Amino acid sequence: MKVFKFGGASVKDAAGVKNVLKVLEKHQNPDKLIVISAMGKTTNALEVIIQKYLSEQSPEPEIERLRLFHIEIMNRLFENKQAAVFEKINKFFTNLRNFLQHNKSKQYDFVYDQIIGFGELISTSIVSEYLSRNGIKNTWVDARDLIKTNSTYRDTKVDWETTQKNIITEIKPESISITQGFIASDANNFTTSLGREGSDYTAGIFAYCLNAESVTIWKDVPGVLNADPREFTETTLLNEISYEEAIELAFYGASVIHPKTLQPLQQKEIPLYVKSFFHPENDGTKVCRGNGCAVVPQLPCFIVKKNQVLISLSSLDFSFMVEENISEVFQLFHQYQMKVDLIQNSAISFSVCVDNKFNQLEKLIQHLKAKFRVTYQTGVSLYTIRHFNEAAITSVEKGKKVLLKQLTHNTVQMVTDC
């Protein structure tokens, strides 16, 4: 069994869906599990719908706009406008409207997960039908029936025992199955999500449970680059990366591979390939057990996380910032769901760079001010350079004010004002 994952960029329009067919025609072994994300910017559009709904504004214009976006794609894929897939997609939008009409909860994380998965359900239905009509027989599978999690919405943990049992039972060998990335369900069958970019993780989950031969993530880049081409003008393709290095890069925020994806693959030494869906014949990047080199070729790798928050704390009476103070601070970070990306402390001060993913910064700051002197700066950038050299550091620092800097053996991190 091979696991393929196609992201939103690879199915953003009718041409993208047709290209998925071409990729699969070049890889014709029948044992495949195909994971597909929402089309294009659908997830972003659904987030706008969620925001409007929870702020008691009508999301109907956005819902209809999103429906027409998918209908236009289907019009370019299917000659028969009365095909059953049109009715199936319209039914998903009916279900979305029904949820918004009858839902009683205003808890953001719960509402988010119930709505956000419609993107993947719609995209997989369209792709599955298109492939079937073009000679690739497949089975559409609802990932929520197979991947089970706890009920911590937007940040769930997988119930591996139940999930593996479900996947082994339902996914048949010598066949092609198509399922959704990103979504799962809890014990009450409410939809849960695996986090943004969680479709990669979905591929890892299925690969682990199926003892897959490999996972291939098809993207709009040649493979894993040593820097994000949207942020850095010069980038180089990495031909091979060890699991350990890929996990390090993911931890620091590299966007090509989801942080959770690699852990189940590493346990069973399942290789991961990152390839271009524009050039499926190219080798791309292979992530596997290391053979002495963390990255091939060996060169600095750059990661940037923007819109971070730099928080600096000191005790009110100028006493030492010791374990008791720091443990209390981290308890608050956990309480307010802040991801800590960088830590630096001295005798009387403690600084952290955090990701305000859940928009609870103001509550956290008020809580911290009760016991500490607090200063903070929003909108900062966190740069990480793996396998750095002086030239790499200089290139990042140029034209920026460095607010905090920390070096370890293989890594330098800098918080800058832009």
Side-chain angles (χ1 to χ4, degrees):
M1 180 71 71
K2 293 184 178 181
V3 176
F4 282 8
K5 181 260 175 174
F6 293 92
S10 62
V11 291
K12 66 180 181 180
D13 51 26
V17 175
K18 292 177 180 179
N19 190 58
V20 169
L21 174 64
K22 293 178 182 177
V23 171
L24 294 177
E25 286 175 339
K26 292 181 179 180
H27 297 81
Q28 292 189 352
N29 71 302
D31 288 0
K32 282 196 187 71
L33 187 286
I34 302 173
V35 177
I36 297 177
S37 300
M39 292 178 156
K41 301 297 183 181
T42 294
T43 299
N44 293 339
L46 287 167
E47 288 178 336
V48 173
I49 290 169
I50 293 165
Q51 291 168 0
K52 287 209 165 187
Y53 169 70
L54 290 175
S55 61
E56 299 184 351
Q57 302 177 58
S58 172
E60 182 55 35
E62 284 73 20
I63 295 174
E64 183 60 13
R65 192 177 300 119
L66 189 60
R67 188 186 73 85
L68 293 175
F69 165 75
H70 287 92
I71 295 297
E72 175 62 22
I73 290 174
M74 289 193 293
N75 284 335
R76 294 176 181 273
L77 293 175
F78 304 105
E79 292 184 5
N80 178 12
K81 308 312 181 207
Q82 305 303 315
V85 67
F86 284 85
E87 181 179 351
K88 185 174 184 179
I89 299 312
N90 281 323
K91 186 174 181 180
F92 280 128
F93 282 95
T94 299
N95 292 342
L96 170 58
R97 290 180 169 107
N98 285 340
F99 172 79
L100 296 176
Q101 182 178 353
H102 299 292
N103 170 60
K104 304 299 182 184
S105 173
K106 296 297 181 181
Q107 205 270 328
Y108 179 85
D109 292 345
F110 172 78
V111 173
Y112 184 97
D113 277 7
Q114 305 322 299
I115 293 176
I116 208 70
F118 278 102
E120 278 72 16
L121 294 168
I122 292 166
S123 67
T124 51
S125 298
I126 294 172
V127 174
S128 174
E129 182 66 19
Y130 180 75
L131 295 179
S132 292
R133 288 174 177 266
N134 286 275
I136 296 184
K137 184 179 179 182
N138 66 86
T139 302
W140 185 88
V141 178
D142 192 332
R144 298 173 299 177
D145 294 337
L146 305 185
I147 301 178
K148 291 296 180 176
T149 70
N150 64 7
S151 298
T152 308
Y153 299 105
R154 292 188 70 206
D155 193 24
T156 57
K157 295 190 184 315
V158 174
D159 177 346
W160 284 95
E161 183 177 350
T162 303
T163 296
Q164 183 159 20
K165 180 180 178 181
N166 292 342
I167 288 174
I168 291 173
T169 301
E170 296 298 326
I171 301 301
K172 306 302 181 186
E174 297 184 3
S175 65
I176 295 177
S177 299
I178 294 181
T179 195
Q180 307 76 37
F182 183 53
I183 60 173
S185 69
D186 63 13
N188 296 313
N189 291 323
F190 286 115
T191 304
T192 59
S193 68
L194 301 173
R196 287 300 297 264
E197 309 301 329
S199 294
D200 290 357
Y201 187 31
T202 300
I205 292 169
F206 275 98
Y208 177 90
C209 295
L210 293 167
N211 291 313
E213 177 183 323
S214 64
V215 175
T216 303
I217 297 176
W218 298 95
K219 299 183 73 70
D220 55 354
V221 292
V224 179
L225 305 176
N226 75 318
D228 187 337
R230 295 170 296 185
E231 302 291 343
F232 297 87
T233 55
E234 296 183 8
T235 60
T236 301
L237 175 68
L238 302 176
N239 305 117
E240 188 171 307
I241 312 176
S242 68
Y243 291 119
E244 293 81 1
E245 183 63 25
I247 289 171
E248 290 280 1
L249 292 172
F251 172 79
Y252 288 117
S255 60
V256 174
I257 304 172
H258 190 275
K260 295 179 181 177
T261 302
L262 297 160
Q263 293 161 348
L265 301 182
Q266 184 185 27
Q267 290 182 40
K268 293 189 176 181
E269 296 192 2
I270 299 170
L272 168 69
Y273 297 90
V274 181
K275 295 188 177 185
S276 166
F277 57 73
F278 294 124
H279 304 286
E281 69 280 359
N282 292 352
D283 292 335
T285 301
K286 181 180 181 181
V287 184
C288 57
R289 187 174 66 176
N291 295 310
C293 293
V295 295
V296 178
Q298 295 187 53
L299 74 173
C301 298
F302 300 84
I303 303 159
V304 59
K305 297 182 73 173
K306 296 193 171 182
N307 296 315
Q308 305 295 289
V309 184
L310 179 62
I311 303 174
S312 296
L313 309 173
S314 59
S315 57
L316 293 172
D317 59 0
F318 290 98
S319 60
F320 290 154
M321 290 291 290
V322 293
E323 290 83 354
E324 181 180 353
N325 306 108
I326 294 173
S327 65
E328 183 177 2
V329 170
F330 272 92
Q331 181 60 39
L332 291 175
F333 289 152
H334 176 73
Q335 179 180 335
Y336 291 105
Q337 297 173 286
M338 293 286 176
K339 184 182 184 302
V340 178
D341 292 317
L342 177 63
I343 306 165
Q344 191 172 92
N345 69 290
S346 66
I348 60 172
S349 68
F350 179 79
S351 297
V352 289
C353 187
V354 300
D355 189 344
N356 185 28
K357 176 182 176 182
F358 292 92
N359 297 314
Q360 299 205 68
L361 179 63
E362 291 185 11
K363 294 178 182 178
L364 170 66
I365 295 299
Q366 291 305 312
H367 205 145
L368 288 170
K369 282 183 175 179
K371 291 197 174 183
F372 303 96
R373 285 188 174 86
V374 182
T375 60
Y376 67 98
Q377 184 171 340
T378 60
V380 302
S381 297
L382 173 63
Y383 287 87
T384 302
I385 311 174
R386 291 280 294 169
H387 315 293
F388 64 90
N389 54 36
E390 287 302 320
I393 295 174
T394 300
S395 68
V396 168
E397 291 181 338
K398 186 177 180 179
K400 304 179 184 69
K401 180 180 179 181
V402 178
L403 305 172
L404 188 152
K405 186 174 182 179
Q406 186 166 275
L407 287 85
T408 60
H409 178 63
N410 282 322
T411 307
V412 60
Q413 290 188 283
M414 294 175 282
V415 180
T416 71
D417 59 345
C418 62

